Amino acid sequence: MRRTLLVTILLMIATFSSIPITSATAPSGNSEEIISSSTTWDEDGTLNGTLLVESGSSLTINSNVSVVTGSSITVEEGATLNLNGDLVGAELDSLLRLQSDSSLMFNLGDVAESGTMRLQFDHQIMADAQFDITVGGITIDAGEQEFVDFTVPLNGSDIIVDFSTFYSVITHIESVSFAHSGGTVVNYIPLEMSYERASLVWLSSSFSIDVLGSFTMDSATLDGADLNCVGQCSITGSQLTGSAPINIQTDGALTITDSNIAGSRTDEDIVAHDAAGLTYTSNTGTGGDTDSWIRLLSERIIQTNGEGIKVDQTGIGYANYTRYDETNETGIVSIGSSEFSRIVEWMDGDGQVFAETGELTLTVTSGWGTFSTTIAAPHTAYAEVNVSLPYISIDDIDMEDNFANVNESIGFMLTVSNKGGSEATANIRCYVDGEDVDTAPSTVTVTLLPGEVSETPVSWYSYEDGLKVITCKALIPDILEGFTDEITNVEGASSQEVSWTYKDEVADAPLIIYGTVVLAILAGLWLFTRNKTYNDTELEEEKQYSEGIEEIATESNED
């Protein structure tokens, strides 16, 4: 019984010791705070200093937390930050960027019959600028002015401010103020203004959030943050003011749905770097000139198969650039010299999605011909693109004989093929021991399509005797020297050994042979003649003997 009770107590101790420690509010004071367990902030407070959420732990914020300027939050890999309340930075500083046809709308209610409205710019407008501002039918040229004043009704009527500008300098509204006879001044900062065809711009962030682990926002508010998603970020049904751009690093990802982003420190609300993941659904962005999101490459390096390749670029990047470059000694060319040329996808302030449709044409012009390859510009930081080249293979030298006379020629058949991907016209020369030799034709020229084979009869002349081997190789144009191994078998092809001798030496042996044959024939004829003479003599003697016998027999018969 006591043993069972002891085990139960130990289990209870173990269970309660594993319950996460919960802090009710954010720590105050300039401090370094470390979250090392599952922690929840349920009460409002102030964050001043650095906050680290360690790997294996989590922080959930359900309350309203004010963040002192310069503070930072770091979420380690394997850690989680959940924001269900508000993180609001102090000293938010914004401007309203004007377009050529922007409009502002105000209505202060019925506070006075009339008053003075002042539009404060962020710089003095140049004298030669076209910068017309119209309010209630009255137009003022703002040239050489840092601010413009209008008399406006303050009786509850709408006040519409229309801009018509042609001005190369980006211009912002810092504030709009209203003063009336009662001495009351009402000041509007850009965040509080209603506008069309303009956009909020934030000069700086108040604090930073670096997410190496995971970060979630659900029906929350984030003001004045510099949010950097190295890991996984998810934002749903939330308001982000002055917290753009959100940066998603190449191995990170962001899913943002049904949320509102107001104001960016740059020209975009979200920047997806390189291969970063982005899912963007049913959101409202800063709008105007500020893009909802862009995909920005860290670089645009093209590795090719040689030096000095001409690279023509058309339709490159956000600005649709056209330019010309050449590859360096390592075969590399960069097509991303500016940020605009590295933006390959984007959604503008009106929600229209665009993708770069640029092309690269790589060209090598040489004595063998012009070789060119055209591709769609890669939307990656690094890509390998090779120019399609020929491969002139010297395949075979087939000699008609193994013996040849000095100062005369011997024929051979030269077989050449194109095993590459482009047509070429190549010149071929032949050598003995690395020295040029006399051939006809002296240079063999072949034009071959990919996969084609050529056989050319060639005559080889030698002016010295000895055993010789002829080798034929393709002549490489200077511009193609860097591609040598890719365009030909540099060793070429070699013949079998040919014995070159002087013609007199060659004739001696046949004379002996011919003399022997003649002597043999003469000897044969002599023997034949001799035998025939002997046979004829015997036959004559036999005939005379027979005739004698016949005469004796005749004489006997007569007797």
Side-chain angles (χ1 to χ4, degrees):
M1 177 72 176
R2 283 177 297 182
R3 181 183 178 91
T4 303
L5 180 61
L6 177 61
V7 171
T8 302
I9 293 172
L10 290 174
L11 288 172
M12 291 177 65
I13 292 173
T15 300
F16 283 110
S17 66
S18 66
I19 295 176
I21 299 173
T22 300
S23 175
T25 186
S28 60
N30 189 358
S31 62
E32 296 183 4
E33 181 73 12
I34 297 176
I35 304 297
S36 56
S37 62
S38 296
T39 302
T40 300
W41 293 349
D42 286 324
E43 297 180 8
D44 296 348
T46 300
L47 174 62
N48 184 9
T50 60
L51 174 66
L52 174 65
V53 185
E54 288 189 327
S55 178
S57 61
S58 66
L59 172 63
T60 300
I61 301 175
N62 295 326
S63 55
N64 299 324
V65 177
S66 177
V67 184
V68 175
T69 300
S71 298
S72 66
I73 300 173
T74 301
V75 183
E76 289 188 339
E77 186 176 357
T80 301
L81 173 62
N82 301 310
L83 178 60
N84 303 319
D86 300 334
L87 275 178
V88 179
E91 302 176 15
L92 299 180
D93 189 8
S94 64
L95 299 172
L96 185 68
R97 177 179 294 179
L98 297 175
Q99 296 179 201
S100 61
D101 59 348
S102 298
S103 291
L104 308 181
M105 289 77 70
F106 301 94
N107 192 324
L108 280 66
D110 189 3
V111 296
E113 186 64 28
S114 64
T116 300
M117 176 184 70
R118 171 166 292 183
L119 305 174
Q120 182 70 49
F121 306 119
D122 64 336
H123 67 275
Q124 180 176 316
I125 308 301
M126 293 182 180
D128 59 352
Q130 176 187 318
F131 210 102
D132 294 335
I133 306 171
T134 301
V135 178
I138 305 298
T139 299
I140 296 177
D141 181 359
E144 296 187 277
Q145 305 298 318
E146 290 186 11
F147 61 85
V148 174
D149 290 339
F150 284 89
T151 299
V152 295
L154 299 177
N155 56 5
S157 302
D158 289 337
I159 302 169
I160 308 297
V161 183
D162 291 321
F163 292 83
S164 178
T165 67
F166 187 79
Y167 187 35
S168 60
V169 180
I170 295 175
T171 303
H172 302 92
I173 295 290
E174 288 185 342
S175 64
V176 178
S177 61
F178 296 88
H180 55 82
S181 57
T184 301
V185 177
V186 178
N187 191 62
Y188 284 82
I189 62 174
L191 185 61
E192 300 169 326
M193 298 178 192
S194 296
Y195 52 84
E196 291 181 354
R197 298 175 299 283
S199 56
L200 280 174
V201 176
W202 295 82
L203 301 179
S204 62
S205 60
S206 179
F207 65 101
S208 64
I209 303 177
D210 290 307
V211 180
L212 285 72
S214 63
F215 170 65
T216 64
M217 281 184 69
D218 191 355
S219 303
T221 298
L222 185 64
D223 290 354
D226 180 6
L227 178 57
N228 183 33
C229 297
V230 178
Q232 307 295 309
C233 295
S234 176
I235 301 173
T236 305
S238 297
Q239 174 70 42
L240 295 87
T241 303
S243 296
I246 302 170
N247 283 283
I248 321 165
Q249 303 305 324
T250 185
D251 294 326
L254 168 65
T255 299
I256 181 167
T257 307
D258 297 327
S259 296
N260 182 62
I261 299 176
S264 176
R265 296 179 297 279
T266 62
D267 295 325
E268 49 277 327
D269 289 334
I270 299 171
V271 181
H273 295 269
D274 293 323
L278 173 60
T279 303
Y280 187 94
T281 308
S282 301
N283 301 290
T284 300
T286 298
D289 288 338
T290 303
D291 293 316
S292 298
W293 57 263
I294 65 169
R295 183 168 299 281
L296 175 65
L297 302 181
S298 55
E299 56 184 357
R300 296 190 79 173
I301 298 299
I302 306 297
Q303 176 68 66
T304 71
N305 52 338
E307 178 184 0
I309 297 174
K310 298 177 181 178
V311 183
D312 290 307
Q313 309 154 43
T314 57
I316 299 299
Y318 190 92
N320 202 35
Y321 286 125
T322 295
R323 57 175 293 161
Y324 161 83
D325 286 299
E326 285 190 7
T327 58
N328 63 16
E329 64 276 4
T330 61
I332 287 176
V333 65
S334 172
I335 63 170
S337 56
S338 68
E339 181 175 296
F340 273 9
S341 64
R342 299 196 305 274
I343 298 174
V344 294
E345 294 177 300
W346 63 95
M347 176 187 283
D348 68 12
D350 295 325
Q352 298 295 312
V353 177
F354 300 88
E356 177 202 82
T357 57
E359 285 189 342
L360 305 181
T361 298
L362 285 68
T363 305
V364 177
T365 302
S366 72
W368 282 16
T370 298
F371 315 118
S372 182
T373 298
T374 299
I375 64 163
H379 289 186
T380 54
Y382 176 85
E384 294 184 5
V385 182
N386 292 332
V387 178
S388 179
L389 297 170
Y391 188 91
I392 301 302
S393 176
I394 314 302
D395 296 324
D396 186 45
I397 296 176
D398 185 15
M399 284 290 172
E400 65 180 2
D401 202 343
N402 293 331
F403 300 94
N405 295 330
V406 174
N407 297 323
E408 295 184 2
S409 68
I410 185 173
F412 65 86
M413 189 66 72
L414 178 64
T415 303
V416 182
S417 63
N418 183 355
K419 299 177 180 178
S422 295
E423 179 182 358
T425 298
N427 295 324
I428 301 162
R429 293 295 297 270
C430 299
Y431 312 87
V432 171
D433 296 330
E435 299 292 332
D436 277 323
V437 294
D438 190 4
T439 61
S442 58
T443 300
V444 177
T445 301
V446 294
T447 298
L448 297 173
L449 295 170
E452 194 172 9
V453 179
S454 169
E455 290 187 340
T456 304
V458 182
S459 295
W460 171 22
Y461 295 84
S462 179
Y463 307 105
E464 295 179 354
D465 62 349
L467 297 175
K468 301 180 185 297
V469 174
I470 191 170
T471 299
C472 297
K473 302 178 182 180
L475 296 176
I476 309 299
D478 291 343
I479 193 68
L480 295 180
E481 285 184 353
F483 303 90
T484 299
D485 291 335
E486 297 180 56
I487 61 175
T488 188
N489 51 335
V490 292
E491 72 283 358
S494 298
S495 70
Q496 68 266 35
E497 199 171 55
V498 177
S499 176
W500 290 85
T501 57
Y502 287 98
K503 191 171 184 179
D504 291 344
E505 295 175 0
V506 174
D508 288 344
L511 286 175
I512 295 172
I513 295 172
Y514 297 154
T516 302
V517 172
V518 169
L519 288 174
I521 292 171
L522 291 174
L525 288 173
W526 177 80
L527 288 173
F528 175 77
T529 304
R530 182 175 177 276
N531 288 338
K532 187 175 186 304
T533 303
Y534 174 78
N535 291 336
D536 289 345
T537 302
E538 284 188 344
L539 182 59
E540 184 65 30
E541 289 177 352
E542 288 180 0
K543 182 178 179 182
Q544 291 175 357
Y545 177 75
S546 298
E547 289 177 350
I549 292 174
E550 289 177 356
E551 289 177 356
I552 293 171
T554 303
E555 290 177 356
S556 299
N557 291 332
E558 289 177 353
D559 290 340

